[in-house]
Structure formats: C-alpha cells, structure tokens
Amino acid sequence: MPSRVVVTGGSGKLGRAVVADLVATGWEVVVVDRVVPAAPLAPTTRVDLTDYGQVVEAFTAIDDRYTGVDAVVHLAAIPGPGVATNATIFHNNTTSTYNVFAAARQAGIRNVVWASSETLLGLPFDTPPPYLPVDEDYPARPETSYALAKHLEETMAAEFCRWQPDLKATGLRFSNVMEPGDYAAFPSFDADPGLRSWNLWGYIDARDGAQAVRRALERDGVGLEVFIIANADTVMSKPTADLVAERLPDVPLRRPLEGNETLLSIDKARRLLGYEPQHSWRDQV
C-alpha cells in the first residue's frame, strides 16, 4: 500500500512540482492549502494552517477521503520578504510551521520535510558571506523578518526532534524557485551581474526542488538535518570565478571554482540525500 503524504501549499510554484513528482513516484498525496486550484493534481482540502485544530484534523482524517498520514511536506508560507508586512509574514509563517510540527507529533507522524530558505545564509549579502561557496556550516544570518521566521522554524525543528527522538525532520533551504517559463529572462541577467548577486546568482528548478523533497522523505535515519537545495549552476553565462573576482574579491574561497558552478553549495545534499540536479536553464534557452 502506498505511503500517504500531506503536502501543504501544494498549489504553489514549488508545490505543484512536488505534488506531480510524488504522485508519479507512487506516493498517495493529499494537498492542504488555502487555495484549491481549478485542476488539482491530487485531492485538495482548504485548510488554514494558522488554526491548530484544522491542522490536527488534516493530519489525522478528513471524512471519507483518508484516515492516517505517514509523512508531511510543509511548503505553505508567505513566500518571501516584502510580500506582506514584516509582522504579518513573521506571525503567519512561524504560527503555521509550529502548528504543522506540533500536529504531526500529535498525529504520530515521524517524517516531516519542510521548506526552509536560502535567506538564512545572509541574503541579500549586503554583508559578504564568510567564505565561498556558502554552505550549512556557519550560523544562520537572518537579515529580514521572513528569514528570522525561517531561522526560528529550524530551531523549533531541533527541539521537536529532542522531544521526539524517533522524529525525522528535514529542512530544505531552497534557492529562488524557477519554472521553465522563467528561463527566457535569464540571458538578460548578463548585462548587469549585480542584479542577481543578492543570492550569489543561485536558483532552483522546481522539478529539482521536487526531487530534493522526495529524497528527503526517503532518507535514512532520524533527527534534524538541514540542506541547501540549489541547481548545480548559476543564472549567469559568465564563469563563476569571474563573478566572484568582480563582485566579491575579498571573500575567501574554500576551493577553486569551475565553470558556472553554483556558489550555494549542494555538497551535503549530494552526499546525504543522493540529490543531483537534472534541469538547467541552459537546456531551455
């Protein structure tokens, strides 16, 4: 019998790709969201994640749709700084994520994957990073209320794992999510490298983001792990070493840079998840 997974925010840009990937690989997917799309890829129930009671019910049973859930993928959130007021973003995102973690524990769910964020690396890098490529080893550096909420979500996850030693919680620090239709604009970035330097010229194809989610659900072990999830290349045509020499000449390099390789290190995700990006904007333009 297939494993049942609840995906929050399944109607969003990343959520649609995640739902499609999980359905295609044999998961029984249930979507909970504030928005029900006209042509959903999986059964969808309208749920307000800031209401704890609704989240508990969504993770246990909804009438004749299902009873019991094996895993949760939490993607729903106000998706970035500036989309709403600072306090609105902070309260919505922290409350929703607390409710997801707490309701999963209450429902006996021991496999939780959620969308953390590249912003914890110090975006928009007005203060340069400590070294390049950036990775998960240095402390989080939230610079916005959105990033602060993501930082507290990772802290919450660590405590939930301490309270529940058999819990597997995986935070995925996604880069800027892109779909194939977005790639037509990428060649224009070459005119001014500063336009995309705010996240070290990184991105994540939604389909590769979905691959990372699936691999996180399937990873062995328990406890908290956090991974940067980006594509293997940058959004630029210029070699990465040249971008660094031009824009961040004083930042130490931990190793030589080759070609257009990402400055958002995915080494840990490759090593522990078996993650390997399959889609590049260069194949689409």
Side-chain angles (χ1 to χ4, degrees):
M1 184 174 180
S3 296
R4 180 177 295 121
V5 58
V6 168
V7 177
T8 78
S11 66
K13 197 173 195 178
L14 177 60
R16 294 190 298 271
V18 168
V19 171
D21 182 90
L22 292 176
V23 169
T25 53
W27 288 80
E28 181 184 342
V29 180
V30 177
V31 174
V32 300
D33 207 333
R34 286 183 175 177
V35 177
V36 178
L41 299 174
T44 303
T45 299
R46 188 175 286 108
V47 173
D48 180 356
L49 295 175
T50 65
D51 183 328
Y52 178 68
Q54 291 187 43
V55 183
V56 170
E57 187 171 3
F59 289 1
T60 51
I62 295 184
D63 286 342
D64 59 349
R65 285 197 167 182
Y66 61 89
T67 301
V69 173
D70 301 299
V72 172
V73 174
H74 175 44
L75 306 177
I78 296 175
V83 178
T85 62
N86 294 348
T88 299
I89 291 171
F90 183 85
H91 287 298
N92 180 85
N93 290 0
T94 54
T95 300
S96 297
T97 300
Y98 170 82
N99 287 348
V100 166
F101 291 167
R105 184 184 186 205
Q106 179 72 23
I109 299 167
R110 298 294 181 259
N111 190 1
V112 177
V113 177
W114 88 99
S116 188
S117 171
E118 66 178 355
T119 59
L120 294 187
L121 299 168
L123 274 61
F125 291 119
D126 293 334
T127 299
Y131 52 79
L132 292 170
V134 296
D135 57 24
E136 301 88 350
D137 289 344
Y138 66 88
R141 293 171 33 172
E143 301 290 352
T144 63
S145 294
Y146 171 82
L148 179 61
K150 291 295 184 182
H151 179 40
L152 296 181
E153 290 172 11
E154 290 189 2
T155 303
M156 281 195 288
E159 297 307 316
F160 273 96
C161 287
R162 182 173 63 85
W163 295 345
Q164 194 71 48
D166 61 344
L167 172 63
K168 180 178 70 174
T170 311
L172 302 179
R173 292 181 175 180
F174 288 110
S175 188
N176 190 196
V177 179
M178 298 289 180
E179 294 176 316
D182 298 318
Y183 293 144
F186 276 35
S188 67
F189 300 152
D190 287 341
D192 181 2
L195 289 175
R196 296 285 307 186
S197 62
W198 56 273
N199 78 334
L200 301 179
W201 306 280
Y203 75 108
I204 178 66
D205 186 289
R207 295 164 294 181
D208 286 318
Q211 177 207 154
V213 167
R214 172 168 40 83
R215 291 184 180 277
L217 285 169
E218 295 170 351
R219 80 172 175 91
D220 294 329
V222 295
L224 173 65
E225 289 286 358
V226 173
F227 300 92
I228 295 171
I229 302 298
N231 268 66
D233 58 345
T234 70
V235 302
M236 306 294 288
S237 298
K238 183 177 288 189
T240 303
D242 293 347
L243 292 169
V244 171
E246 177 182 330
R247 305 292 302 189
L248 297 163
D250 298 325
V251 177
L253 292 178
R254 288 202 155 182
R255 56 176 172 76
L257 300 171
E258 299 182 2
N260 299 105
E261 72 166 286
T262 181
L263 290 168
L264 305 175
S265 174
I266 54 175
D267 291 350
K268 181 181 178 182
R270 282 171 160 154
R271 186 175 69 253
L272 298 185
L273 295 181
Y275 167 72
E276 191 60 49
Q278 302 296 310
H279 305 278
S280 170
W281 71 272
R282 297 166 210 278
D283 301 326
Q284 303 285 328
V285 177

